[in-house]
């Protein structure tokens, strides 16, 4: 009976791949195996001097920075991010976080991470969206790695406008002092992994990491779902 009801539900509300919209098998979740296999991976993930790290050279002192996927203006990574951020794809966000967690388990870079923190949204923006997509990624990561999370420590105190078309100095002015740290004793002397959904200019990460690095003994690294 349950299988029959499941079949009826599949007919009415079919499970389709987020990327290619083909039907998913019972073993597939959100993304079909073929699309997941062909998603553009960030090939330099193991390289400590990779293209993500280079974004922050001379800007903020990070232990390392890397990403799982490469983002393009057209393509399936953009579709996934759009689904998570704007179409209430909360379960997909957690699924992608679990994938990130599995990648972390394969890379020695992440062996000494003590605490995971997501890049926060401004409270008004989070209220409007209903959730923070980076929190979903963190939840998925912790489901796999069991590393402690502390999403209530880093607070965004003011909303900053889009960074995309701003020059370096304008981005610095726009992001300075937009983050504060609550209960600093939770992060003191810890290696913190900041989680973001996509890194573009790096200005928001720069500001968030800067706020954390003001605390005693803190080290900061970055892992993003995608690098633009």
């Amino acid at each position: 009976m349950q299988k029959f009801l499941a079949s009826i539900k599949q007919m009415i509300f079919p499970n389709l791949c987020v990327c290619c919209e083909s039907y998913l098998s019972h073993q597939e979740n959100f993304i079909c195996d073929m699309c997941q296999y062909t998603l553009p991976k960030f090939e330099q993930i193991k390289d400590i001097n990779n293209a993500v790290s280079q974004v922050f050279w001379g800007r903020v002192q990070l232990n390392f920075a890397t990403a799982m996927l490469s983002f393009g203006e057209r393509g399936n990574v953009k579709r996934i991010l759009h689904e998570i951020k704007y179409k209430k794809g909360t379960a997909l966000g957690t699924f992608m976080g679990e994938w990130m967690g599995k990648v972390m388990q394969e890379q020695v870079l992440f062996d000494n991470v003590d605490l995971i923190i997501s890049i926060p949204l401004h409270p008004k923006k989070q209220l409007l969206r209903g959730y923070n997509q980076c929190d979903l990624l963190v939840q998925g990561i912790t489901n796999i790695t069991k590393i402690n999370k502390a999403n209530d420590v880093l607070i965004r105190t003011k909303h900053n406008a889009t960074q995309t078309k701003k020059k370096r100095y304008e981005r610095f002015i726009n992001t300075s002092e937009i983050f504060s740290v609550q209960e600093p004793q939770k992060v003191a002397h810890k290696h913190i992994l900041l989680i973001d959904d996509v890194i573009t200019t790096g200005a928001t990460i720069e500001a968030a990491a800067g706020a954390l690095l003001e605390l005693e003994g803190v080290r900061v690294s970055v892992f993003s779902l995608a690098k633009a």
Side-chain angles (χ1 to χ4, degrees):
M1 184 64 178
Q2 288 182 337
K3 289 184 178 180
F4 174 74
L5 292 175
S7 298
I8 295 297
K9 182 180 179 182
Q10 173 70 358
M11 291 175 62
I12 301 173
F13 303 106
N15 290 323
L16 302 178
C17 174
V18 170
C19 300
C20 69
E21 298 186 346
S22 64
Y23 286 95
L24 296 175
S25 70
H26 294 299
Q27 291 77 34
E28 295 172 329
N29 291 307
F30 304 105
I31 306 169
C32 71
D33 291 342
M34 180 58 70
C35 285
Q36 188 165 350
Y37 178 76
T38 56
L39 282 173
K41 313 302 188 295
F42 182 67
E43 299 295 343
Q44 300 175 321
I45 188 170
K46 298 179 181 179
D47 184 359
I48 198 72
N49 297 319
N50 64 56
V52 179
S53 289
Q54 292 176 31
V55 169
F56 302 100
W57 285 0
R59 297 169 62 178
V60 64
Q61 185 65 47
L62 300 176
N63 266 41
F64 66 84
T66 193
M68 187 173 78
L69 302 172
S70 292
F71 176 92
E73 276 306 312
R74 296 190 181 118
N76 287 334
V77 176
K78 184 176 183 179
R79 289 190 184 96
I80 290 167
L81 287 166
H82 190 271
E83 185 79 17
I84 295 171
K85 292 175 71 171
Y86 304 116
K87 294 190 176 181
K88 306 297 182 184
T90 54
L92 174 61
T94 304
F95 172 79
M96 296 304 294
E98 289 176 348
W99 186 7
M100 292 172 74
K102 292 171 185 175
V103 169
M104 286 174 60
Q105 290 181 323
E106 298 170 354
Q107 306 295 334
V108 296
L109 279 175
F110 301 98
D111 285 353
N112 297 315
V113 169
D114 299 310
L115 199 63
I116 300 176
I117 295 178
S118 59
I119 294 294
L121 293 176
H122 188 273
K124 289 183 179 179
K125 190 169 184 178
Q126 182 159 337
L127 183 63
L128 182 64
R129 183 172 296 169
Y131 57 92
N132 177 1
Q133 69 276 5
C134 294
D135 288 349
L136 304 175
L137 298 176
V138 167
Q139 183 58 58
I141 290 170
T142 57
N143 287 348
I144 300 299
T145 65
K146 309 306 179 186
I147 300 173
N148 290 332
K149 62 180 178 179
N151 289 345
D152 57 341
V153 169
L154 187 65
I155 304 299
R156 192 185 290 251
T157 55
K158 66 179 181 180
H159 177 66
N160 58 314
T162 181
Q163 307 295 310
T164 307
K165 296 182 179 180
K166 292 180 180 295
K167 295 180 181 179
R168 168 79 187 278
Y169 177 73
E170 291 173 322
R171 291 199 303 266
F172 174 77
I173 295 298
N174 195 36
T175 57
S176 63
E177 299 180 357
I178 68 170
F179 293 103
S180 64
V181 179
Q182 295 190 141
E183 300 182 86
Q185 71 277 6
K186 287 186 177 181
V187 297
H189 302 286
K190 285 185 168 56
H191 181 189
I192 297 166
L193 184 66
L194 277 176
I195 301 298
D196 205 356
D197 56 346
V198 58
I199 292 175
T200 50
T201 66
T204 302
I205 288 282
E206 179 183 358
L212 290 164
L213 288 168
E214 292 180 0
L215 304 176
E216 185 177 358
V218 167
R219 295 174 295 149
V220 177
S221 295
V222 173
F223 189 30
S224 178
L225 174 59
K227 162 70 172 74

